[in-house]
Amino acid sequence: MDAALGFLTAAAAPVSGRSTLRTGAVSSAFAGARVARAASSRAAQLPAAPVDTVKAVVAGVDIPVGSTADDEEGVNRGALETRQDCIAVAIVAHVDHGKTTLVDALLGEANVFRENETVQERVMDSNDLERERGITILAKNLAVTYQGTNVQLVDTPGHGDFSAEVERVLNMVDGVLLVVDAVEGPKPQTRFVLKKAIEMGLRVAVVVNKIDRPMSRPEYVVDHTFDLFVDLGASDEQADFKIVYASALKRISGHSPEDLKPGLAAVFDVLLSLPRPLVRPSGPLQLMISNVDYDDFKGRLGLGRITSGTLSKAEGVVVTRPGKEPRRVKVNELFRFDNLGRAPVESATAGDIVMFSGIDQFDIGDTLCSPDAPLPLPPIAVEEPTVRMTFSVNTTQFAGQEGKFVTSRNIRDRLQKELERNVALRVEDQVETPDSFTVCGRGALHLTILIETMRREGYEFMVGPPTVIFKEGADGGKEEPFEFVEIEVPEEYMGSVIDMLARRKGEMVDMAAANSQGLSKVSYNVPTRGLLGVKNALLTATRGTMVMNALFAGYRPFAGDLEAKENGSLLAFESGKVTAYGMEGAQDRGRLLVNPGQEVAKNQIVGVHQRAGDLSINVVKLKQLTNHRSANKGIDKGINGVLDFSLDDSIEYLGQDEIVEVTPLSVRMHKVIQAKRGNRQ
């Protein structure tokens, strides 16, 4: 039976100490002289290992290969074995470096699609928001068969605000395929995902993607990627990573940038060279639940990887986690991933990523265990949220006109449902205002995606401005979150960027001269408070040429108060319908956000003031009509173009006394008037 499943028991091989750095793969890809320097710098960082150990899937601890383990209660966990017929790999990268496009190319190489089949671009980005924004938001699973091996792939998000998705899936893979742009090289999010993989002891292979770009520089990219491995404390084995060069868009790859061939066979070769899963097929059942899905016919579906034992259809198991009483449940149906879909199976064994139905109550991080040996795995640990916003019932004069779900109960139920699968989210009821909820997330984009999703589902509510979450430091002082910001901009705009970040309490980390594309690069550590609302200001100051990437850099002492907004808001003087006559007189005061014929409420934000401070204007003013004068006569100046604020722009624009009204059809900003809103801040 074991032979049929492809299990191979490996024996431990003791060694006298940590091996010297193997430089073959890196040297052949231009890393050169940096290897010796890196080896000496790492010697002081890494302790010697008395035995050759491996990172086991089952417990996340170093266990000699081929050993068995009995816990304190005498439960036999079974022998640790290497499964040769499958491998699970996560594809990670910075945003826009080509992860999802690479998955498309790998699917084509594995002959998943028919020759005459019409395949949409970025087939894994099935969410409407993902397609509109061109980014991956949710991690997704698939499995293909290549050269007799079941390759289980996980496509992950590249944006830092969705890094919890990356942290979650790294718990159920054997290795990582790190995709790096052949021009840009390692970026902030590259550092984050690589750090997590190294901390978990995973082996990494590097794909230098977009090698066909005219300005590609593979030597620079490999050189800096190797430096990044060393800076993050990678072991000798991890730093000796294999490299493959590819253009996922053009479907070419090779082990050298000068020797590229049609197809992605070279990428699969490197992928299959990663370590195979080390599991305990003869041990008691252990399956960590890593994701939640829903089916209209099957109900809630759980997803996870079996790390020990075997799971069968209609089997009775228990759901538990450390410190939680085991609860008996039954698995109705069991599925394995098959290409882009899932196929029902009778049973699955250790090393398989599966999806199951029949269990209604469970949380991400719970463990499915055998009733005879309920041994829960350590739950998934993700970094805490840093930004919070207030969600509340819509109380403007437009309340209830456009939304389907408008009550506090509707909003609370939807937020609780989101908590079931979004492990980085936190939701708290506000005591002083029962119809309001404090929602905490990784960043403004993280919460904006949730708001946009709820809006499209028919929810109507109000949202307050994003604020950072402070905490008390070890010395009792106040600390706030900081972010590492990297900005590329033409040299003539560098002064504006430096001035703007300095006024927002930023500290310069590095500055590089213009590259071959004429872009200079500057790196800053900036308080998260200082980045709220800065993106549009930077784009305006640089004529839209700025490229900014940010990554959470930890908590640091409070940086001090920030400057007030440079521009105030133009407020509607009274409710009514916007007129061209009213807009003509108001547009000299700033840029307007409304169009003629649009309904506005009193104190609604209808424009951006050209000076500091708020100003009320009458955009609903009607022209006095006579028998000799029509409504449009005398309007000869014309109306200037109005600003078109998206939901992201509106949330970024908000001040501390402003809110956004979100409905399925409209996004409106309002001023909170203290006299009518109580003590709301």
Side-chain angles (χ1 to χ4, degrees):
M1 176 65 71
D2 287 353
L5 292 174
F7 289 121
L8 174 66
T9 304
V15 294
S16 58
R18 188 172 295 277
S19 62
T20 57
L21 179 66
R22 300 191 302 273
T23 63
V26 180
S27 297
S28 63
F30 319 114
R34 292 184 181 267
V35 175
R37 174 168 55 84
S40 61
S41 67
R42 229 179 12 258
Q45 302 175 11
L46 303 175
V51 294
D52 186 12
T53 60
V54 293
K55 186 72 71 175
V57 175
V58 287
V61 294
D62 287 337
I63 304 174
V65 181
S67 67
T68 61
D70 296 338
D71 65 3
E72 62 277 4
E73 298 180 359
V75 177
N76 184 2
R77 293 180 181 266
L80 186 65
E81 302 176 2
T82 301
R83 184 171 174 182
Q84 296 290 352
D85 67 331
C86 73
I87 186 171
V89 177
I91 301 179
V92 301
H94 185 80
V95 64
D96 284 337
H97 279 200
K99 298 179 305 301
T100 306
T101 306
L102 180 63
V103 172
D104 288 356
L106 292 175
L107 289 172
E109 183 68 22
N111 298 319
V112 171
F113 308 110
R114 301 189 311 271
E115 292 185 3
N116 62 341
E117 185 173 354
T118 301
V119 181
Q120 62 183 3
E121 186 181 0
R122 302 196 317 274
V123 66
M124 292 300 291
D125 283 347
S126 54
N127 187 294
D128 289 340
L129 280 175
E130 292 178 324
R131 292 197 167 278
E132 291 174 13
R133 295 172 178 260
I135 61 174
T136 301
I137 297 173
L138 303 174
K140 302 176 188 65
N141 296 73
L142 62 92
V144 299
T145 300
Y146 186 81
Q147 294 182 355
T149 301
N150 181 29
V151 181
Q152 303 171 96
L153 297 175
V154 186
D155 185 22
T156 64
H159 198 286
D161 281 19
F162 309 108
S163 51
E165 293 281 322
V166 181
E167 295 174 88
R168 185 170 63 191
V169 301
L170 289 181
N171 284 274
M172 58 179 186
V173 298
D174 309 306
V176 169
L177 212 57
L178 179 67
V179 183
V180 185
D181 190 288
V183 176
E184 298 180 356
K187 305 295 281 185
Q189 183 65 8
T190 310
R191 185 182 187 91
F192 173 82
V193 295
L194 183 59
K195 177 183 176 183
K196 291 296 180 182
I198 288 175
E199 288 176 351
M200 298 182 68
L202 298 173
R203 292 291 297 272
V204 182
V206 176
V207 179
V208 181
N209 194 27
K210 305 184 182 181
I211 194 66
D212 59 315
R213 292 180 63 178
M215 307 299 293
S216 64
R217 40 182 181 170
E219 181 177 355
Y220 166 88
V221 170
V222 172
D223 205 12
H224 282 256
T225 302
F226 183 78
D227 284 349
L228 184 58
F229 271 78
V230 176
D231 292 342
L232 296 177
S235 67
D236 293 352
E237 292 80 8
Q238 290 173 320
D240 189 17
F241 54 86
K242 292 191 176 182
I243 306 166
V244 63
Y245 304 87
S247 170
L249 192 63
K250 292 192 174 181
R251 306 292 199 267
I252 56 175
S253 64
H255 296 286
S256 168
E258 291 83 21
D259 185 22
L260 302 176
K261 300 177 181 178
L264 273 292
V267 178
F268 266 115
D269 291 344
V270 170
L271 186 152
L272 294 177
S273 69
L274 293 170
R276 301 301 171 93
L278 291 161
V279 293
R280 301 186 187 276
S282 59
L285 172 67
Q286 287 180 311
L287 182 151
M288 168 79 73
I289 300 175
S290 300
N291 205 348
V292 177
D293 202 351
Y294 186 82
D295 186 276
D296 292 336
F297 302 99
K298 298 180 176 62
R300 291 191 78 196
L301 302 173
L303 184 147
R305 191 177 196 191
I306 304 174
T307 55
S308 176
T310 301
L311 179 63
S312 302
K313 178 181 177 181
E315 179 181 355
V317 297
V318 296
V319 177
T320 185
R321 67 167 57 204
K324 186 177 179 181
E325 191 69 22
R327 180 170 53 87
R328 286 184 175 270
V329 293
K330 182 180 179 181
V331 175
N332 287 346
E333 293 186 86
L334 191 64
F335 306 91
R336 285 179 58 183
F337 288 95
D338 182 20
N339 295 334
L340 294 173
R342 54 178 185 255
V345 294
E346 292 297 321
S347 64
T349 191
D352 291 331
I353 297 177
V354 298
M355 186 174 281
F356 59 85
S357 67
I359 305 175
D360 292 332
Q361 297 181 5
F362 59 83
D363 297 316
I364 291 177
D366 286 350
T367 306
L368 294 189
C369 302
S370 170
D372 299 330
L375 304 173
L377 296 169
I380 299 170
V382 298
E383 294 183 7
E384 292 298 313
T386 58
V387 174
R388 61 186 169 200
M389 299 174 70
T390 299
F391 289 39
S392 59
V393 173
N394 187 5
T395 57
T396 68
Q397 75 175 49
F398 304 112
Q401 297 181 14
E402 300 175 355
K404 181 179 179 182
F405 307 105
V406 298
T407 66
S408 60
R409 180 178 59 82
N410 294 143
I411 299 172
R412 179 187 287 107
D413 291 347
R414 178 61 180 83
L415 292 175
Q416 292 299 324
K417 181 180 178 182
E418 186 68 20
L419 287 175
E420 294 178 358
R421 70 165 316 279
N422 199 332
V423 294
L425 201 69
R426 304 287 185 272
V427 177
E428 303 171 359
D429 289 345
Q430 292 192 359
V431 178
E432 64 278 7
T433 51
D435 290 340
S436 300
F437 312 92
T438 300
V439 183
C440 308
R442 281 287 183 88
L445 180 61
H446 182 203
L447 298 179
T448 300
I449 292 295
L450 171 61
I451 295 169
E452 180 66 30
T453 302
M454 292 176 61
R455 174 192 174 200
R456 297 186 181 200
E457 293 173 357
Y459 288 84
E460 179 181 306
F461 53 100
M462 297 191 306
V463 179
T467 57
V468 300
I469 300 175
F470 297 100
K471 72 175 187 179
E472 185 176 339
D475 58 354
K478 185 178 181 181
E479 291 188 348
E480 64 175 325
F482 272 68
E483 296 195 32
F484 174 77
V485 181
E486 185 181 272
I487 296 178
E488 292 182 344
V489 66
E491 194 169 1
E492 60 265 30
Y493 301 121
M494 182 60 75
S496 300
V497 172
I498 292 175
D499 176 66
M500 193 170 295
L501 293 180
R503 287 191 283 113
R504 292 174 177 263
K505 307 296 182 180
E507 300 175 359
M508 185 182 291
V509 176
D510 187 27
M511 186 174 180
N515 57 22
S516 56
Q517 297 175 294
L519 298 177
S520 299
K521 184 171 71 174
V522 61
S523 302
Y524 269 82
N525 283 324
V526 186
T528 302
R529 288 179 302 133
L531 291 180
L532 298 176
V534 75
K535 185 176 180 180
N536 280 340
L538 284 171
L539 286 172
T540 301
T542 61
R543 304 296 188 270
T545 59
M546 177 272 304
V547 177
M548 182 176 76
N549 295 294
L551 179 67
F552 177 62
Y555 274 81
R556 299 185 181 184
F558 182 67
D561 295 330
L562 301 178
E563 297 179 4
K565 289 172 60 176
E566 295 183 0
N567 300 96
S569 300
L570 297 177
L571 310 179
F573 178 73
E574 59 181 334
S575 302
K577 187 173 292 187
V578 177
T579 65
Y581 181 67
M583 290 183 63
E584 184 185 22
Q587 63 187 5
D588 293 336
R589 303 292 187 174
R591 298 291 303 278
L592 298 180
L593 297 167
V594 292
N595 290 295
Q598 184 176 334
E599 289 283 348
V600 296
K602 184 178 181 180
N603 295 318
Q604 179 179 333
I605 298 174
V606 296
V608 180
H609 194 195
Q610 60 188 2
R611 297 186 177 88
D614 299 329
L615 178 69
S616 294
I617 58 175
N618 192 354
V619 291
V620 302
K621 180 169 58 176
L622 291 172
K623 187 174 182 181
Q624 296 297 322
L625 305 181
T626 69
N627 291 336
H628 307 287
R629 188 166 57 178
S630 67
N632 294 323
K633 187 175 181 181
I635 303 180
D636 51 8
K637 239 178 12 175
I639 299 175
N640 298 333
V642 300
L643 297 173
D644 185 15
F645 272 19
S646 64
L647 176 62
D648 300 63
D649 297 330
S650 300
I651 291 176
E652 185 175 323
Y653 175 83
L654 287 183
Q656 292 304 306
D657 56 349
E658 297 166 348
I659 58 98
V660 174
E661 176 193 3
V662 180
T663 76
L665 303 179
S666 308
V667 175
R668 309 181 186 93
M669 294 182 289
H670 300 267
K671 199 74 171 180
V672 177
I673 305 301
Q674 297 294 335
K676 295 186 178 182
R677 301 292 296 169
N679 295 324
R680 181 171 178 168
Q681 299 298 319

